[in-house]
Amino acid sequence: MSTEAPHPYSKYPVRIGVQVQPQHAEYADIRRTVAAAEEIGVDIAFNWDHFYPLSGEPDGLHFEAWTMLGAWAEATERIEIGCLVTCNTYRNADLLADMARTVDHISNGRLILGIGSGWFERDYDEYGYEFGTAGGRLDALAESLPRIEQRWAKLNPAPTRDIPVLIGGGGEKKTLKLVAKHATIWHGFGDAETIAHKHEVLDAHCAAIGRDPGEIERSTAVGDKSPEELGKAMLDVGTRLFTVSTSGPKYDLGLLRDWVAWRDEVNQA
């Protein structure tokens, strides 16, 4: 199996994430699923930052993301943890920075700050946030990212490491420009051709500010695709972090096992 790719960001090893969607399940089931994923050998466990289910019964069981990450920090030992992704406008930026720093310490340096501009209108309406426009929410994210970085520099104690920042989204004029300036991981969506194009746009934004595009790990969700269906095509365009999603009430980790086995085969080649 070839892993060659003509991209500077192909230097990263393949990593596998799992998004344990905190919907339609009791927390005990979520905790057991994260523990099982760590035992399988996953690299990162994500949840998501919403207040209601995104599929199935709209008013089904659901839990909040960041309090859950604090629990995961204590309940896990090896894997990195984070939101895929935090909605920027649900929390004051300086508070979010402090929350992230705290979970970073609880986990002994295993937090990834996944963040995006937000999109799920029901969350905003039910919790009293202003939904506004997509452009306005991206502008708010652009204002928050420097505040987060500045707050990390002021906190005592400081974060245990330079907390990795994952930004999700593919907007070429605003989002990818923010990725170039602030992120260590970019999480995108689409087929290999789409992702390759987004990588080119992101690389151009990096060049414009003098940043090495190889500093940004490239990530995507796998949907229901197997490694045989998706793996090589994404490798060839430079993707190195692949995330499998699973939802309650019965979390199925069969596809995750396939991707972890594929990761080991690729990384050992």
Side-chain angles (χ1 to χ4, degrees):
M1 179 182 298
S2 171
T3 62
E4 295 180 358
H7 306 291
Y9 34 89
S10 65
K11 66 184 180 182
Y12 290 97
V14 171
R15 300 202 294 164
I16 303 299
V18 62
Q19 185 188 56
V20 180
Q21 299 172 350
Q23 59 177 5
H24 307 304
E26 298 289 351
Y27 179 70
D29 297 318
I30 296 171
R31 184 181 62 241
R32 280 192 292 269
T33 302
V34 172
E38 184 169 46
E39 185 174 352
I40 288 167
V42 75
D43 296 290
I44 308 167
F46 296 107
N47 56 19
W48 66 28
D49 190 21
H50 296 289
F51 305 129
Y52 295 91
L54 297 187
S55 63
E57 168 53 49
D59 293 313
L61 301 177
H62 200 277
F63 290 97
E64 192 276 329
W66 273 91
T67 43
M68 184 180 296
L69 288 180
W72 287 9
E74 290 280 10
T76 59
E77 297 180 355
R78 178 191 59 81
I79 56 175
E80 291 186 295
I81 57 175
C83 287
L84 192 63
V85 289
T86 304
C87 175
N88 168 63
T89 45
Y90 294 169
R91 300 166 190 85
N92 170 279
D94 292 82
L95 171 62
L96 178 61
D98 203 345
M99 292 164 60
R101 182 279 310 253
T102 300
V103 176
D104 166 68
H105 275 266
I106 295 169
S107 65
N108 293 316
R110 294 183 288 116
L111 178 79
I112 294 171
L113 177 59
I115 192 165
S117 60
W119 64 272
F120 187 42
E121 190 168 4
R122 186 185 182 190
D123 284 346
Y124 288 83
D125 292 343
E126 295 271 7
Y127 277 61
Y129 300 118
E130 182 180 352
F131 187 59
T133 65
R137 293 192 298 277
L138 278 167
D139 291 341
L141 179 60
E143 294 173 1
S144 292
L145 288 165
R147 287 177 56 189
I148 290 168
E149 294 164 355
Q150 291 160 12
R151 180 56 55 187
W152 280 340
K154 296 176 182 178
L155 289 170
N156 183 18
T160 67
R161 62 172 179 168
D162 290 334
I163 296 175
V165 174
L166 178 155
I167 294 178
E172 297 181 9
K173 293 182 178 180
K174 289 186 176 183
T175 302
L176 293 181
K177 187 177 289 188
L178 292 175
V179 173
K181 188 173 182 180
H182 298 283
T184 44
I185 306 170
W186 173 65
H187 184 80
F189 304 91
D191 60 18
E193 183 178 1
T194 300
I195 292 293
H197 170 69
K198 300 293 185 182
H199 286 177
E200 291 175 357
V201 174
L202 176 53
D203 292 354
H205 285 309
C206 288
I209 63 172
R211 186 177 183 192
D212 176 5
E215 295 176 357
I216 303 172
E217 185 179 13
R218 313 303 167 105
S219 167
T220 195
V222 307
D224 60 357
K225 298 294 182 61
S226 70
E228 291 73 24
E229 293 174 288
L230 190 66
K232 186 181 185 303
M234 287 299 188
L235 279 180
D236 287 346
V237 300
T239 300
R240 289 298 180 270
L241 174 55
F242 299 81
T243 295
V244 178
S245 295
T246 184
S247 175
K250 294 183 178 180
Y251 291 103
D252 184 350
L253 298 182
L255 185 60
L256 179 67
R257 289 185 173 88
D258 293 341
W259 277 95
V260 168
W262 175 81
R263 174 204 65 192
D264 294 344
E265 179 184 349
V266 170
N267 286 342
Q268 292 169 9

